[in-house]
């Protein structure tokens, strides 16, 4: 049989697809790509492939024994069309070049909304290495990207693709971030504390945050007290153990 990449939910996905296939809703198509492009779409531990599936509802199957560079896309016609678009944009982003898209056609789609973000707030919405944007994507299962060539005054256009709930939730959160940043109220951390609906970072960003904590920014006390450079003063030992570094 064919060897394909699988996720933990793969069995449930295939069962769901068989049900939809029996009703004539699901078909498949094959995308022919370079091996380097397939590796990029797969991502670490299949993370990029899983995110595209989450954004679109389509399932992507990769046969690792097939050296012709093919991905099978399984879903409804609407899901597969959205998957093709997101695959195209993702691969263009890989090369860090100007996006070649028909933006008029993109903006005419029913599954797209956009937000014109002031230049001074773009970095705030993106976050460090894109972590804030990825957090919002993961929270709402929406695909988001900036058109860096778009200019209207000092603004850049942010596109949000996904189903109705995904678009509304992601747009609302981005509008909140922009409003908070432009009001001069401060940092991303203060926005998250102020806005209880702020992005919940997951996966790689959470691990990076944890690694920073282990270097001394953790809110819990280190168990390696015996390796301090100098003994604590008597007054220090009498203080509460709840003291924390900011």
């Amino acid at each position: 049989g064919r060897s394909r990449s699988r996720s933990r939910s793969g069995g449930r996905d295939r069962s769901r697809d068989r049900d939809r296939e029996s009703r004539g809703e699901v078909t498949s198509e094959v995308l022919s790509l370079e091996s380097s492009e397939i590796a990029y779409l797969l991502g670490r531990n299949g993370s990029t492939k899983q995110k595209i599936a989450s954004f679109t509802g389509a399932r992507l199957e990769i046969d690792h024994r097939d050296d012709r560079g093919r991905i099978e896309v399984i879903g409804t016609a609407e899901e597969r069309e959205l998957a093709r678009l997101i695959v195209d944009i993702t691969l263009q982003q890989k090369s860090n070049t100007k996006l070649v898209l028909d933006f008029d056609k993109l903006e005419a789609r029913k599954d797209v909304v956009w937000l014109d973000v002031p230049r001074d707030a773009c970095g705030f919405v993106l976050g460090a290495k894109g972590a804030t944007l990825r957090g919002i994507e993961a929270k709402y299962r929406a695909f988001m990207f900036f058109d860096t060539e778009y200019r209207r005054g000092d603004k850049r256009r942010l596109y949000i693709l996904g189903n109705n709930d995904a678009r509304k939730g992601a747009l609302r959160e981005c509008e909140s971030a922009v409003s908070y940043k432009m009001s001069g109220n401060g940092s991303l951390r203060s926005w998250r504390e102020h806005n209880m609906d702020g992005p919940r970072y997951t996966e790689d960003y959470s691990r990076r945050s944890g690694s920073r904590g282990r270097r001394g920014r953790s809110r819990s006390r280190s168990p390696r007290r015996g390796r301090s450079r100098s003994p604590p003063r008597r007054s220090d030992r009498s203080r509460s153990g709840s003291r924390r570094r900011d």
Side-chain angles (χ1 to χ4, degrees), residues 8-59:
R8 293 180 180 178
S9 61
R12 292 192 300 272
D13 291 339
R14 283 185 288 276
S15 176
R16 180 196 63 187
D17 289 343
R18 282 194 295 269
D19 290 340
R20 294 196 297 172
E21 284 171 357
S22 67
R23 298 193 299 268
E25 298 176 4
V26 170
T27 55
S28 66
E29 62 183 88
V30 173
L31 304 181
S32 297
L33 302 169
E34 299 291 336
S35 57
S36 60
E37 293 175 329
I38 289 181
Y40 186 77
L41 288 175
L42 184 60
R44 173 180 276 183
N45 298 322
S47 59
T48 303
K49 185 191 77 166
Q50 291 167 12
K51 284 194 292 186
I52 294 174
S54 175
F55 298 150
T56 65
R59 183 157 53 88

Side-chain angles (χ1 to χ4, degrees), residues 221 235-244:
R221 298 186 62 151
S235 58
D236 287 339
R237 287 197 294 269
S238 65
R239 293 176 183 173
S240 169
S242 62
R243 184 184 179 201
R244 295 166 181 168

